[in-house]
Amino acid sequence: MTLDNLAVPLRALRLLAVDFPNLPAPDVDVSPIYPEWLRLSFHDTTCDSLAAFEQWRSVLRIGADTVDCRTQNGGRTRVLKAEGLFAGAVIVLTAYADQPAADRTPTGQAGGIR
């Protein structure tokens, strides 16, 4: 595999940076394992990462009804995940935030999240 095989997600990232420069900066992942995917993730102990996720989801026109909401880490971490298409790339949005103590349960463990 060559860098050229990652052209689709890299092109999408370039377009996102030009078109939406004021959005919160995500962690970015491009991998030859999934050469059509651009993963954007947000990690924060506050709900700021969830707000950033929602801003990106809205801009990318990913339906709220497609968002997968789970918990992991024994119910202590909330995880939001959604996928959409942009410039030919599959965009995978993921956000992690502390689950409020009152809402913590050991159920809803994340499983199969890419």
Side-chain angles (χ1 to χ4, degrees):
M1 177 157 299
T2 66
L3 191 57
D4 187 52
N5 296 110
L6 300 176
V8 171
L10 292 174
R11 184 179 319 111
L13 179 61
R14 185 187 76 216
L15 290 171
L16 289 169
V18 169
D19 292 347
F20 307 107
N22 295 321
L23 285 178
D27 290 332
V28 176
D29 180 33
V30 176
S31 170
I33 296 170
Y34 300 103
E36 301 296 316
W37 290 10
L38 174 61
R39 294 182 188 204
L40 305 176
S41 59
F42 306 90
H43 304 263
D44 199 326
T45 58
T46 68
C47 288
D48 290 345
S49 62
L50 303 181
F53 174 95
E54 283 301 314
Q55 289 176 6
W56 278 91
R57 185 194 59 73
S58 178
V59 163
L60 294 170
R61 296 183 178 162
I62 298 172
D65 59 328
T66 68
V67 175
D68 183 30
C69 183
R70 298 179 183 224
T71 60
Q72 64 183 33
N73 195 21
R76 293 183 299 214
T77 303
R78 182 181 299 173
V79 181
L80 299 181
K81 182 178 176 230
E83 295 181 9
L85 292 174
F86 181 81
V90 175
I91 307 296
V92 180
L93 295 178
T94 309
Y96 303 91
D98 285 349
Q99 179 81 338
D103 296 335
R104 291 181 186 172
T105 64
T107 60
Q109 295 293 316
I113 291 181
R114 295 189 262 203

